Amino acid sequence: MCYSEEQIIEGCINNKRKAQKTLYSKYYRRMLGICLRYCSSKDEAEDVMLDGFMNIFSKMKLYNKRGSFEGWMKRVIVNTAIDNFRKNKKHYYHSDIDDFENELVIEANLLESFSAKEILNTVQQLSEGYRIVFNLFAIEGYSHQEIADILGISINTSKTQLFKARKLLQKKLIEMNNE
Amino acid sequence: MSDNLKHIDEYYKKHLKNLEADTSRDRWRKLSLMLFRKKYGLWIVLLLITASAAIIGIMSVTNEQNNDDYTRPGENQISNRDLISDDSATGSLALQETMSSLRNLKKYKNATKTLSHKISQNKKLEAEITSNSDDFTTGYLSKLTFKNISEFKISEKEIVIPEIAGRPDSTDFAHTPDTLTGNSFKPSRATSWSMDIYIAPSYVTKSLSADPIYDDYINFRKNSEVPIYTTGLGAEIKFSINKWFIQSGINYSVYGDNTKYNFITKTIDSLNCYYNVDTTWVWIYDPPFSGEPYPIGFDSVWMPVYKETESSASIQNRYIYIEIPVLFGFHTTKKKLNFEIGTGISFGFLISAKGNLPDLTNNSLVEINNSTEFIRSTSINYILNAGIQYQINKRISIIVKPNYKRNLSFLFKDDYPIKQKYSTFGVITGINVKL
């Protein structure tokens, strides 16, 4: 049976398992994709995704139906990933500053040959601090001010983390390209 | 920070922004379990607490019963007689042991009083008792150094009674106290646990009420809906104290009705509509107020014809609940038969609702499948059971219990104008297993 988005939302608000399963089945791939960017392994990403869906179901009443529902869900998932990051804050600062002594440049056209999985691997190999700042800034489109507020860090720290993340990613792409 | 790395951002955004990945199906199971825990976690915790409290309660009752049994003579335990004879013989019991024994003696105070009364009727025995007790009590009580020893209020006669058993030619009173007292040494409370496992074929009927403005609607539904037969299932734990019991568990109950709604819809029968030729003549003066009048006839009046279209819909409305009954009752046993009557309430949790409600305004049906827009997700019901158990062996009995259950809460929410309650008349049949 095909349900409309309104019916699914209504069902989820009323704790109907069928509606919850329909919602999960419809969106879990995309939500897992987001979680994979924020986590270092698939297992961790799956756990974050499940926590994210729990948050989605429990906060469904707060969805005001003005914006895109999927966009709202993605924000909840990203916030869950940020919460997960906060729990593991001990890994936050990981300086690889020595790696950035030499500026490396990679040709944009060479990068197209990598698969999404390979590209994702490079992000997952970043330390958690780099990864979350890079994701929030480069992919979600948050400003440094917003990142600083969300993560409780200074704007300069956010900029530094982003810079280092970019450098590391570039380095990894070059390495992959050379292999 | 240089901006010459911005292309990295673009590159990753392009490839990862809409990344999708698959996962195993058991992830939904895990999520489903998490949702279940969240929804029913509190209930589960409450249930566990209740069960733990009940277990602790019954253990304490059992322990108390065991303590009573501990002092029962003839069970390889310290009896009054043992105390006395040991004391008389050795003159030395450990203080703690003495205290423990005296506590037990206190518990049998009433029984021994009766015993001593009986004995007092026998002068010969009484004399012997008195003479023996003098020696004993002097030695026995002299060892007690507690300042509050008087609180035990043990009279010489009470202590000395078991000593009679030492007489070679006497009845072993200590081992057969019932023969003397005429009373049993049964524990003060007879408790037991058992479990009922049953099915309950039931006849489900309902009552409808509403504001008088909905009388037509109510009548339409009453004429279109018929009661149903359903089958419930359940398992309940029963805790009995003497002739009283409390019972709780879980059961699966189905309410509902079978319906056949006939809707009559009026529509214009365009084929049979006609012009009514009923000429109306009007005199026209042209020009007005002058000239010769001439008549004009209007002979065409549109006459619509309506046709009634009858449509019907047969629907099965079913509301399935998981219920937690809490019953209190009385039972009595006669040979292998146990008669019982119990009453209480049950708390129901809606797990499924399927059906339709008629909408007479539009002559259509409104689907209510699993909708909590109209239906309450919980219910409270009144229960009355009365029945018989037949014991087929030491542990298992067959139960047959006529059962009446009625909704105390309405099926629909308060803002829905129709008040609907179900009543069920059933026969619980199953087994009772002693735990």
Side-chain angles (χ1 to χ4, degrees):
Chain A
M1 195 162 180
C2 193
Y3 294 98
S4 69
E5 194 167 274
E6 285 75 21
Q7 285 174 317
I8 293 173
I9 293 169
E10 189 67 28
C12 290
I13 288 172
N14 292 322
N15 259 331
K16 298 298 171 195
R17 192 55 50 85
K18 208 169 181 178
Q20 290 168 336
K21 188 174 183 181
T22 308
L23 184 80
Y24 172 84
S25 304
K26 191 174 177 183
Y27 291 107
Y28 80 88
R29 289 179 186 82
R30 269 169 269 180
M31 299 305 141
L32 183 58
I34 294 170
C35 296
L36 283 168
R37 286 193 276 113
Y38 285 87
C39 300
S40 55
S41 69
K42 193 176 179 187
D43 283 345
E44 187 189 354
E46 285 176 339
D47 287 343
V48 170
M49 180 191 69
L50 294 185
D51 288 342
F53 269 103
M54 287 296 288
N55 288 337
I56 287 168
F57 294 140
S58 62
K59 292 175 180 172
M60 193 76 86
K61 286 178 185 170
L62 302 177
Y63 171 57
N64 57 20
K65 298 183 182 176
R66 285 181 198 159
S68 143
F69 179 60
E70 188 178 342
W72 177 81
M73 285 179 65
K74 283 180 176 175
R75 278 200 300 280
V76 175
I77 292 283
V78 168
N79 287 338
T80 310
I82 292 169
D83 287 342
N84 181 62
F85 164 76
R86 286 196 185 112
K87 286 178 195 167
N88 303 316
K89 215 170 181 177
K90 59 186 176 183
H91 307 298
Y92 188 14
Y93 292 106
H94 177 79
S95 179
D96 292 319
I97 198 71
D98 295 341
D99 297 340
F100 310 123
E101 285 174 354
N102 302 315
E103 286 257 335
L104 298 167
V105 180
I106 187 165
E107 295 294 330
N109 59 343
L110 290 176
L111 297 175
E112 295 299 330
S113 57
F114 300 128
S115 69
K117 191 178 177 184
E118 288 171 319
I119 296 166
L120 178 66
N121 276 342
T122 60
V123 176
Q124 289 184 327
Q125 285 167 20
L126 291 175
S127 70
E128 290 193 40
Y130 298 166
R131 188 166 60 235
I132 195 159
V133 172
F134 179 76
N135 268 306
L136 291 174
F137 185 91
I139 300 178
E140 314 296 349
Y142 285 80
S143 68
H144 283 300
Q145 178 67 58
E146 287 170 321
I147 295 169
D149 291 342
I150 291 168
L151 300 180
I153 57 176
S154 69
I155 293 175
N156 281 336
T157 307
S158 173
K159 286 179 179 174
T160 310
Q161 297 282 306
L162 177 68
F163 174 73
K164 291 173 183 174
R166 282 171 173 168
K167 277 288 197 182
L168 273 175
L169 288 172
Q170 188 187 40
K171 186 182 172 190
K172 287 178 193 299
L173 289 172
I174 290 168
E175 283 171 3
M176 280 164 55
N177 206 38
N178 292 337
E179 281 174 3
Chain B
M1 309 296 162
S2 65
D3 280 351
N4 61 354
L5 292 172
K6 273 194 172 176
H7 68 284
I8 296 285
D9 294 2
E10 296 300 323
Y11 179 75
Y12 275 90
K13 189 172 182 178
K14 180 182 168 188
H15 287 88
L16 299 183
K17 176 83 175 169
N18 296 313
L19 179 71
E20 291 189 7
D22 214 341
T23 184
S24 56
R25 290 189 70 184
D26 70 334
R27 286 289 157 183
W28 163 249
R29 286 195 207 104
K30 190 175 176 185
L31 181 62
S32 186
L33 190 66
M34 289 161 76
L35 289 165
F36 179 83
R37 279 188 199 143
K38 192 183 173 193
K39 194 172 179 181
Y40 298 109
L42 183 64
W43 287 103
I44 291 168
V45 169
L46 286 174
L47 203 64
L48 287 174
I49 291 170
T50 310
S52 306
I55 289 167
I56 291 166
I58 191 61
M59 282 174 71
S60 65
V61 168
T62 310
N63 284 341
E64 200 171 310
Q65 189 179 335
N66 288 340
N67 285 340
D68 289 348
D69 293 345
Y70 181 75
T71 57
R72 291 184 71 173
E75 294 183 7
N76 200 27
Q77 290 159 350
I78 298 172
S79 69
N80 300 343
R81 186 186 60 174
D82 295 335
L83 262 178
I84 292 162
S85 58
D86 287 353
D87 228 2
S88 300
T90 63
S92 60
L93 270 178
L95 198 58
Q96 192 177 351
E97 196 176 351
T98 308
M99 281 300 298
S100 169
S101 301
L102 281 171
R103 281 192 204 102
N104 294 331
L105 282 171
K106 188 185 175 188
K107 288 179 183 174
Y108 285 98
K109 184 179 173 184
N110 292 334
T112 50
K113 272 183 179 175
T114 312
L115 192 61
S116 58
H117 176 70
K118 294 222 173 206
I119 291 165
S120 68
Q121 293 172 355
N122 187 326
K123 287 182 181 179
K124 187 181 174 184
L125 287 175
E126 190 174 29
E128 196 169 348
I129 288 162
T130 309
S131 65
N132 286 336
S133 68
D134 287 343
D135 296 336
F136 164 71
T137 48
T138 307
Y140 186 76
L141 293 177
S142 64
K143 293 180 181 62
L144 301 175
T145 56
F146 298 103
K147 60 181 178 183
N148 60 344
I149 191 67
S150 59
E151 75 183 26
F152 292 103
K153 295 176 183 172
I154 300 169
S155 70
E156 291 176 3
K157 283 185 181 179
E158 286 165 15
I159 295 172
V160 102
I161 290 160
E163 185 70 4
I164 295 165
R167 295 171 66 248
D169 57 343
S170 71
T171 306
D172 190 347
F173 296 115
H175 283 76
T176 56
D178 295 0
T179 56
L180 276 177
T181 61
N183 294 323
S184 158
F185 270 82
K186 284 176 185 171
S188 57
R189 279 171 288 185
T191 62
S192 66
W193 286 92
S194 62
M195 175 184 251
D196 286 356
I197 302 166
Y198 59 82
I199 61 168
S202 304
Y203 175 75
V204 180
T205 182
K206 72 167 178 299
S207 63
L208 292 168
S209 61
D211 191 273
I213 60 169
Y214 295 101
D215 277 355
D216 287 345
Y217 183 81
I218 296 286
N219 289 333
F220 175 80
R221 285 194 57 189
K222 282 181 177 173
N223 294 330
S224 308
E225 299 173 1
V226 293
I228 57 167
Y229 292 93
T230 65
T231 303
L233 299 168
E236 292 170 16
I237 301 280
K238 185 191 286 181
F239 175 58
S240 303
I241 305 174
N242 293 335
K243 293 191 171 184
W244 300 95
F245 68 86
I246 52 174
Q247 186 168 349
S248 185
I250 191 164
N251 69 47
Y252 167 92
S253 299
V254 183
Y255 304 91
D257 29 58
N258 290 340
T259 68
K260 185 171 184 184
Y261 299 123
N262 290 313
F263 298 113
I264 296 172
T265 311
K266 270 188 174 180
T267 53
I268 289 179
D269 184 1
S270 55
L271 290 176
N272 292 317
C273 293
Y274 61 93
Y275 286 98
N276 187 12
V277 183
D278 184 10
T279 308
T280 303
W281 292 97
V282 179
W283 292 92
I284 302 293
Y285 288 85
D286 188 16
F289 309 113
S290 63
E292 290 294 319
Y294 60 93
I296 293 179
F298 296 95
D299 59 0
S300 54
V301 178
W302 173 250
M303 299 298 288
V305 175
Y306 293 93
K307 64 178 178 182
E308 289 185 343
T309 311
E310 190 171 326
S311 59
S312 66
S314 296
I315 307 291
Q316 291 186 339
N317 294 327
R318 295 288 183 271
Y319 309 100
I320 301 174
Y321 288 83
I322 291 292
E323 293 179 346
I324 298 175
V326 180
L327 296 172
F328 175 75
F330 175 82
H331 67 107
T332 183
T333 305
K334 191 170 185 181
K335 294 183 179 175
K336 289 189 170 186
L337 289 176
N338 180 49
F339 302 91
E340 69 173 53
I341 182 164
T343 187
I345 56 173
S346 71
F347 303 95
F349 301 92
L350 183 72
I351 57 169
S352 169
K354 287 182 180 174
N356 290 268
L357 289 172
D359 174 5
L360 296 187
T361 309
N362 300 310
N363 280 332
S364 62
L365 295 169
V366 179
E367 199 174 5
I368 54 171
N369 286 358
N370 291 323
S371 167
T372 52
E373 186 182 348
F374 307 109
I375 306 172
R376 291 174 192 273
S377 55
T378 57
S379 71
I380 301 177
N381 313 296
Y382 168 73
I383 302 174
L384 178 65
N385 290 336
I388 301 175
Q389 283 184 24
Y390 178 74
Q391 190 174 353
I392 54 175
N393 64 35
K394 202 173 179 179
R395 289 192 65 193
I396 297 175
S397 305
I398 294 172
I399 54 175
V400 179
K401 285 193 283 191
N403 160 268
Y404 170 72
K405 183 162 59 176
R406 180 174 171 77
N407 292 157
L408 294 177
S409 56
F410 295 115
L411 174 72
F412 298 115
K413 290 181 175 175
D414 289 339
D415 52 1
Y416 188 73
I418 309 301
K419 309 299 179 194
Q420 182 168 333
K421 286 181 177 180
Y422 284 101
S423 299
T424 60
F425 301 88
V427 180
I428 291 172
T429 51
I431 56 167
N432 173 275
V433 183
K434 286 199 168 28
L435 301 176

